[in-house]
Amino acid sequence: MEWTTLDAGGGAKLSVRLFKPAAPVEEAEDVAVVLVHPYTILGGVQGLLRGMAQGLAQRGYRAVTFDMRGAGRSTGRASLTGSSEVGDVVAVCRWVADNLKPRAILLVGSSAGAPIAGSAVDKVDQVFGYVSIGYPFGLMASILFGRHHDAIIKSEKPKLFVMGTKDGFTSVKQLQNKLKSAAGRVDTHLIEGAGHFQMEGPAFDAQMVDLIVNFIKSLPK
């Protein structure tokens, strides 16, 4: 595990953490996974993604977490709608591409991190796919994050949407209706009985790692 700091502009210096495999894993792809944490204003920080990042490293993948502006150890000011934070995701992905030089990058967003990551998918050429964990598509959440919907819906890059059937922000029907118009390959995985905040907890880390790894393996080489 390594720490670094990078400048994302606008007065934001981001605290970045790299999780590396202890030893090579034969079947692992040369893909780096960048994980985007939940809503900063509700206490979202990169530490919430540590279990998933460690699990991915154990499976042979380099995983990167970071505090978005105004969160955790990062400087700068969080925005209400996640608009400034899209630039943070892009900056981290470009740092990964330039310094780790993987074959490709997979972007994973959790909760409010999902719309923010979704807006960054087509801004970095090396990103070849996207995984959303609990994307807040519902009506109330859309007041804050609706501006991000188009970017991921219109992206041709493969995407996987993981959601609990008891998600309090988005119903299964809302998710299905939203994805009807999505471009490119769109996969969904529903977790029966799981609520929105439950899925952010450590009890689901291993299941999320499995879903992410299987999705990577399904993507074109």
Side-chain angles (χ1 to χ4, degrees), residues 20-80:
K20 296 195 290 191
V25 176
E26 193 177 329
E27 67 272 15
E29 309 270 349
D30 181 21
V31 171
V33 182
V34 173
L35 300 119
V36 184
H37 68 70
Y39 200 28
T40 299
I41 290 167
L42 291 182
V45 289
Q46 64 178 318
L48 295 169
L49 304 171
R50 180 178 176 175
M52 273 194 283
Q54 288 175 326
L56 288 163
Q58 286 164 7
R59 299 283 287 272
Y61 294 89
R62 289 173 291 177
V64 175
T65 64
F66 65 101
D67 289 321
M68 288 187 275
R69 62 187 60 214
R73 301 183 182 194
S74 293
T75 63
R77 187 173 177 179
S79 70
L80 197 61

Side-chain angles (χ1 to χ4, degrees), residues 152-155 159 161 177-186:
I152 195 59
I153 294 297
K154 290 178 178 176
S155 175
K159 36 203 168 281
F161 291 83
N177 285 341
K178 199 72 187 176
L179 298 183
K180 276 178 187 171
S181 59
R185 172 183 162 187
V186 185

Side-chain angles (χ1 to χ4, degrees), residues 2-149:
E2 297 173 6
W3 289 92
T4 191
T5 303
L6 67 90
D7 192 337
K13 290 196 181 335
L14 308 182
S15 172
V16 181
R17 196 174 191 180
L18 168 62
F19 297 77
K20 296 195 290 191
V25 176
E26 193 177 329
E27 67 272 15
E29 309 270 349
D30 181 21
V31 171
V33 182
V34 173
L35 300 119
V36 184
H37 68 70
Y39 200 28
T40 299
I41 290 167
L42 291 182
V45 289
Q46 64 178 318
L48 295 169
L49 304 171
R50 180 178 176 175
M52 273 194 283
Q54 288 175 326
L56 288 163
Q58 286 164 7
R59 299 283 287 272
Y61 294 89
R62 289 173 291 177
V64 175
T65 64
F66 65 101
D67 289 321
M68 288 187 275
R69 62 187 60 214
R73 301 183 182 194
S74 293
T75 63
R77 187 173 177 179
S79 70
L80 197 61
T81 61
S83 52
S84 302
E85 286 80 351
V86 175
D88 297 346
V89 178
V90 171
V92 171
C93 286
R94 288 185 176 149
W95 178 87
V96 168
D98 292 344
N99 292 276
L100 305 186
K101 296 182 166 55
R103 176 179 69 80
I105 296 169
L106 181 78
L107 255 181
V108 178
S110 174
S111 187
I116 293 166
S119 282
V121 162
D122 284 338
K123 295 181 184 292
V124 181
D125 291 342
Q126 291 88 346
V127 171
F128 81 148
Y130 165 87
V131 176
S132 150
I133 300 170
Y135 195 119
F137 274 128
L139 191 61
M140 292 303 290
S142 293
I143 294 169
L144 287 173
F145 305 117
R147 68 190 63 208
H148 296 287
H149 294 179

